[in-house]
Each structure stands twice: as C-alpha cells, then as structure tokens.
DNA sequence: TTGCCATGTGTAACCGGTTCCAGTTTGATT
DNA sequence: AATCAAACTGGAACCGGTTACACATGGCAA
C-alpha cells in the first residue's frame, strides 16, 4: 500500500501538502494537479488507522446487541447504520450473545480507541460502561448509570396487550417471559399486570428458558394449553408459543390468543399474522444515533432520555372467539401515535413525536 | 485515557518496558510488580489504534453482506464472529443493502488499514476486491477474481427441490427468483431446470421484485396461483410466496406446494413448516473464516474453494396432495450428507465433509 | 581470569498520518 | 516604496504504541 510519502515524493511535494490536499488547506493549482496524478497512479488511499491515531477519532460507532438471531436487533442495527452513514460514521456490530464476559470484552475493545462512542442494547454489565471514557447511549434497555437511553413506552405497551386480549374475550391469561430480566421486559409485564389488576383479572407468569432462541418451548406445551390468552414479551417468543400450541393441537386464535411485542417483519407475514405491540425500530435507531453524535460533539446529555410511543397492531392471533376480521387494525390507545404501518414497512423516516424526559441534571 | 508513557512514568520505567510487559519480553519481577500496580491504578488499556498502526494489523475481519434483514446473513455473521473470536479477531459487519456504491465504500474503508481481511457474500462489484491488497474470501457467492470461495452445492440443491416437488405430485412448477442474479441463484435455478428437463417437465420462471424484502408479492397473487408447486430461491421468498397464496385464499400445501432454500430458523417454525434445502450456515462461516485466516498468515490460496453439501428438509409445505406426514424428513439425496437437524438447531459444531476443489494454480 | 550467554532495561527510530509554525512569494493598500 | 495580508509550502513535533539495537549485569564454563 502506498503511503502519503510515496505520493509526496512522486508529486515532488512534502507529505504535509498531500495531507492538506485531502483535508482542505491551501494547495496551489499546479501542486494540486501533480498530487491528483500521483494519487491516481499509485491508487493511494489514506490509511484510516494512522488517521484515527492522529485525529484521536476513528469515526466508528459500536453497537452492542444481546443477540443477532432475533430479527429485532438486525432491524435496529440497520436503522443505526443508516443514520451513522449519513454522518460519515461506520458501524461495528458486536454480538454479545448473552454472555456478560463477551460483552465486557467488546466494551473494553471499543473503548480502547476503536470507537468514538457506543450504543448498547444490553444491560448485563452496566458498571462496565461507567468509566470507559467514551460516550454511551442505551437503546431498548436502561443502564444503571446516567447514560441517555432511548426506549419505547413498554409500560403502555403492556397495558395495550392486556386490553387487546380482554377485547378478544380471553379470561385465563399468561405472561410469557425469559429469565434475564431486562428493564424492557419488566415494564411490559408491569403494564400488563397493572391493567389486569385494574380489571380484576388474574394473570399467570411463565419464565421460559430462552437458551435456545426460536425454541418451540416443546416441554411447555401442556402449560401453555391451559390458557386462552398469552402475552409473549417479544415476537420471537410469540412465534415459539404459537408453534408449540400448534404442535399440541391447539388452534390460534380459536383456542388461544397470542400477542407479541416489537413488530418485527415476520409478525405480519406469519400465518396466522401475529398481533403485536409495535415499536418504531427505525426511529429508535435514529434517535439513539442522534444522541450519541451530540455526545461525541461534546454535549453533556446525562439524564436525557427519549420515550417513544408504541402502537397496537391487531392482527389474526387475537381475533375474537366468535371469529373476526383478518385485517390489521391499529390502536394507538396509550401514548403518542406513530406513523402508518405502510410507511414503516417501506422504511420511510418518521419523526414520531417524542417524550423527552430529564431525570438527571446536565451540568 | 492513560497512555503507556503515563504508566511508565508512574512505574519508574521506560515505555519500552511497559510494552514488553504486555507483549511478552524480558521483564524483571520487581519491575513487573510496579507496572502491574501502575496499570491498575490508572486503569490503563493499550490503545488499539496505535497498536494497529505499529503492528500493521488491526486483528479485524470485515464481513460484507447484501442484506441484514434476511436472517440468513445474521446467522452467517454469528458463525463467522464465533470463529473470529476464537482466533482473537474482531468482526465488523458491513451491510451493503444491495447498493454497489455502499459496498465499494465499505471495501475501500476496510482495505485502508481498517481490517486485515474481508469475507464477502456480495458480488455486486467483484472488480473492487481485486486490487485492494488484503485477503478476500467469498461465501455463498463467487467473485470473478481468483478469491477462494465457500459455497453450498446449490446445483444439487436445485435438483433436490425439483424431485421433492415431483414426489409431492406437482405438475405446474415455478421458480421464484429476484432480479439481481447471484451465482447462488443461478446454480439453484439451473439444477432445478436441468432436473425438470430430465423428467420432461416444463417449468416457469418468475423474477419478483425484491426491493422490499419480506414483501408479500401481493401484485403477483394471480400469477402464483396458477402453479401447484413453487421453488423459491430462498426461505424469505418462500415465506412471501406462502403469505401471498394465503391471502389469495390458496392453501399450502393442498393447492400449492412450496419449497425454499437456506433453512433459516423461521422455516422450521412457520405454519405450515417450510420445506427447504438446508445449507450448513455455521460450517460455511467456519470454513470461510479458516480460509481467510490462512491467507492472513501468508498462505496463497488462489483457486482453493469449498463446496459444502446440502440437505433436503422435507416439511409440511411439500406434503403430497393426498395429505401427508407433518414430521420433517431428511433426504441427503445428492452431495454429501450433513449433521442431524437437531445438532444444527443447537449450534453444535459439525465438521461436515467438504469437497475441496482447486480451480486455479496456487504458486 | 576471560569469554560468553541469558536476563533486563533504556534510547531512538518507526508505523502513516495531521497540524503548528516558520518562511517565501505574490498582490493589494497606503 | 513600504507595509501587510493572503496564498502556498516544508520542517518538525506529535498521536500511542512496537521493536531493533546498545548497553548493562550476573552466572557459569573453559
């Protein structure tokens, strides 16, 4: 690989001038032409590592996710990457895979000059984010520290899920979660339980082993069959539940209604199509990236948080017991409303109304 | 952030000694203790950028994918990342999103010192990989250049797909593809068509607009309904086809049988479960990484290619017209057999038999 | 005693850029 | 004509590490 000095020599100028040629400084027209020629002939591309060392900035953002096989996270990564690219940043996807050890290693590596900032959707080792010296924003999770976070209104989503199942005439309800308790899962469950309590309905909780994501929960078929309404904490779990019920000979939604959370692509395509609480994933990615960029520019955003509205996508899996429509119905019951489902599906950028909360003091 | 010089000063030694402390060289016991103490007190972590500049190696591998929302690629990324991590390399996921421009930018950035090697599953701008000076391995695609590639036996897979539909008693067959013609898609189609020709069966081809991945192909419902057997070039397309047929009031597999390709997680969970030609994604990732690592170590592997066996996973969407079993049946008709479905599902590492072909001369 | 090797440490050059500063040339202003 | 600023360029320091080399010291064999 040619270096800046090779170019300089060939063009008959100094390295400093070549550097200015690339970074915008005084360069005379003849010099400029000579450098252009040398660059072309040598196929010179500035070395990004050397540049990063000198600039003390790599223009790289690290995104730490707990899983890459749950489509929610690739969809999030897509949104973050888009927004980063717009601002000339590159995205490095780090899949912690549920291992706190791996996550810690990623954080350390990212902080060691590798990245200018971190967006994380994993909360396994919150303390590790505290003293690393580069900006951190969390999305879909809350870190213990004062790092800004972007989350959906999970609590309202939980309430919506309950009301949806109730409208479908369901009485014996179950919340289906996983062992690692994220703030997101907790909020969803609390909303669901609170709304049930208010309605005087009892709800059971089942913590399924999530070790094999996409698991069919086979060993839990009997358990699931006891209910006629299930709120799965995310869409992947909903798919697993529906599949399990199917294999146990139960019909969804006739015997059991199921509602998920996230509105990943597959929810709309599944047969029966899966009712779910939609998060605006692209907006989450956009907002998180924006916050991070502001922090990288030096702003202090401690305690600045975004809370995004969610929306009920009522599809086939929560049809009423008497049968019901097959069309998706949108119900922005609580929180702010969001853009239309069609727009989301085609990736348009929605600037949904945000609730910005300041829970801590910026200095 | 503390530098190596801060540590050196605090420990009362030179920077070179601290460097040796980290990289293994002669360091006396008392010196070692002093450095350890200083490192701990300062929370020192070596700067990876400076290290990369000096070592002329970043220990980073770039993985370029054409899409991140098709679960095949996250599953591949997972496998590659695992293998990289084992060897002390980090993975950078680059989502070209079908844009040749974006892909080119990624390649250039990766080659500019950012990465030590590239694994690509995109073939949009093959020439761009030619003169970049770092090792390149392609997976699931073939580059024009002599870069080693790891692919599944797509041709045999196409033949299996035909035989599967034929066994299910289907007569009016369709191949469902997308406009961007990858070598993978071509091989699958050719295998399918050749086997059909051999059997004296005519087959139609439909090139669906893939712009919106996960599209329901709504505008094509009439067209799809004309057939009673569809071979979708990948599982995502199969999901789209099944959904479209469902909305058009056609039953799968009663009216139309559908078979996909890849065996992504959702294929097994979908209702009806989707028959598909399984690629051993984890093995593809493992093999590609291994080849790349060998190239990074200096080996010349021009023309060394891996061809991995595929396996028919016969599920519900290709049940016979008279109805049929609901269980998955495995059919390793052509090519080498692979590990059991169960093992795959749980992510065990299979060392499937490989066919290694040498199509060019290493020097 | 001499010589040699293993061990331990510091100095300085280097990786490939960026940027401050100083110096030269040119053109416009007073 | 003298002054000054703008345009242009090179030298050298610096970013934070690694490593070749020189220089100690001490133990052991010849």
């Amino acid at each position: 690989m040619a270096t800046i000095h090779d170019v300089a020599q060939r063009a008959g100028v100094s390295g400093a001038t070549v550097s200015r040629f690339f970074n915008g400084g005084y360069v005379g027209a003849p010099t400029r032409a000579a450098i252009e020629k040398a660059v072309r002939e040598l196929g010179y591309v500035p070395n990004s590592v050397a540049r990063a060392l000198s600039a003390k900035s790599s223009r790289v953002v690290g995104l730490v996710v707990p899983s890459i096989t749950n489509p929610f996270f690739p969809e999030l990564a897509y949104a973050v990457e888009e927004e980063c690219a717009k601002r000339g940043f590159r995205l490095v996807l780090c899949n912690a895979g549920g291992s706190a050890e791996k996550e810690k290693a990623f954080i350390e590596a990212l902080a060691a000059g590798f990245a200018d900032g971190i967006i994380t959707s994993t909360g396994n080792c919150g303390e590790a984010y505290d003293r690393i010296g580069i900006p951190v924003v969390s999305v879909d999770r809350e870190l213990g520290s004062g790092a800004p976070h972007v989350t959906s209104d999970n609590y309202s989503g939980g309430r919506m899920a309950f009301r949806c199942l109730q409208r479908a005439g369901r009485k014996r309800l179950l919340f289906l979660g996983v062992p690692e308790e994220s703030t997101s899962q907790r909020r969803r469950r609390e909303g669901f339980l609170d709304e049930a309590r208010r309605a005087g309905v009892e709800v059971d909780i089942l913590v399924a082993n999530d070790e094999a994501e996409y698991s069919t929960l086979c060993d839990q078929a009997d358990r699931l069959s006891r209910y006629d309404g299930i709120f799965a904490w995310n869409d992947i779990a909903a798919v697993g539940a529906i599949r399990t019920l199917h294999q146990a000979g139960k019909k969804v939604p006739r015997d059991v209604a199921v509602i998920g959370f996230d509105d990943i692509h597959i929810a709309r395509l599944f047969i029966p199509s899966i009712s779910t609480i939609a998060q605006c994933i692209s907006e989450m990615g956009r907002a998180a990236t924006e916050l991070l960029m502001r922090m990288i520019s030096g702003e202090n955003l401690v305690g600045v948080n975004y809370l995004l509205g969610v929306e009920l996508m009522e599809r086939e899996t929560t049809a009423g017991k008497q049968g019901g429509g097959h069309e998706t119905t949108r119900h922005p019951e609580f929180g702010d409303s969001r853009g239309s489902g069609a727009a989301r599906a085609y990736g348009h950028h929605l600037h949904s109304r945000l609730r910005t909360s300041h829970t801590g003091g910026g200095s």
Side-chain angles (χ1 to χ4, degrees), chain A residues 269-293:
Chain A
L269 299 176
F270 207 85
I271 302 174
S273 60
I274 301 175
S275 297
T276 190
I277 309 297
Q279 306 194 60
C280 190
I281 303 179
S282 61
E283 178 58 24
M284 292 176 80
R286 205 202 57 71
T289 309
E290 186 212 304
L291 286 177
L292 187 70
M293 291 297 157

Side-chain angles (χ1 to χ4, degrees), chain A residues 73-115:
Chain A
F73 295 105
E75 290 181 30
L76 179 67
Y78 182 80
V80 171
E81 204 269 336
E82 286 264 290
E83 192 65 22
C84 282
K86 266 187 214 158
R87 300 161 186 255
F89 275 69
R90 218 163 303 291
L91 181 71
V92 172
L93 226 195
C94 302
N95 173 34
S99 146
E101 216 170 305
K102 243 181 151 182
E103 186 182 350
K104 219 165 185 170
F106 275 128
I107 298 165
E108 209 164 71
L110 290 172
F114 198 92

Side-chain angles (χ1 to χ4, degrees), chain A residues 114-302:
Chain A
F114 198 92
D116 290 347
I118 297 180
I119 299 180
T120 180
S121 48
T122 317
N124 281 346
C125 39
E127 341 72 50
Y129 292 100
D130 283 347
R131 296 205 135 275
I132 57 173
I134 60 173
V136 176
V137 170
S138 78
V139 57
D140 186 45
R141 297 278 196 282
E142 291 169 37
L143 255 40
S145 58
H149 53 81
V150 176
T151 57
S152 289
D153 190 348
N154 291 300
Y155 184 80
S156 296
R159 293 176 62 195
M160 291 178 188
F162 172 81
R163 305 242 318 228
C164 174
L165 291 174
Q166 196 181 36
R167 262 200 313 278
R170 310 303 162 142
K171 308 292 182 195
R172 301 183 310 284
L173 301 186
L174 177 74
F175 175 85
L176 181 61
V178 290
E180 322 88 58
E181 175 84 326
S182 60
T183 49
S184 297
Q185 176 174 252
R186 184 156 50 77
R187 296 268 153 76
R188 291 171 196 181
R189 191 187 57 231
E190 285 170 354
F192 189 66
L193 294 180
D194 284 358
E195 195 70 10
R197 192 172 311 121
R198 209 162 299 158
V201 175
E202 265 196 61
V203 167
D204 276 3
I205 293 174
L206 175 58
V207 174
N209 190 341
D210 192 43
E211 213 175 332
E213 226 171 39
Y214 282 99
S215 108
T216 49
L217 307 168
C218 292
D219 46 335
Q220 304 285 358
D222 285 350
R223 181 81 192 270
L224 295 187
S225 304
R226 276 185 242 152
Y227 303 90
D228 64 356
I230 297 177
F231 173 34
W233 91 283
N234 70 15
D235 287 343
I236 290 299
V239 166
I242 295 170
R243 180 81 218 170
T244 303
L245 290 164
H246 176 77
Q247 280 169 217
K250 295 282 179 180
K251 283 268 183 209
V252 173
R254 197 197 59 195
D255 304 319
V256 186
V258 175
I259 182 167
F261 208 112
D262 287 348
D263 197 23
I264 58 179
H265 292 314
I266 199 70
R268 194 167 37 92
L269 299 176
F270 207 85
I271 302 174
S273 60
I274 301 175
S275 297
T276 190
I277 309 297
Q279 306 194 60
C280 190
I281 303 179
S282 61
E283 178 58 24
M284 292 176 80
R286 205 202 57 71
T289 309
E290 186 212 304
L291 286 177
L292 187 70
M293 291 297 157
R294 284 169 59 191
M295 290 175 79
I296 290 175
S297 315
E299 273 187 72
N300 182 339
L301 299 180
V302 173

Side-chain angles (χ1 to χ4, degrees), chain A residues 339-362:
Chain A
S340 78
R344 293 184 63 250
Y346 291 93
H348 291 160
H349 287 273
L350 301 173
H351 292 271
S352 59
R353 260 175 281 138
L354 303 171
R355 293 199 219 133
T356 308
S357 69
H358 293 253
T359 57

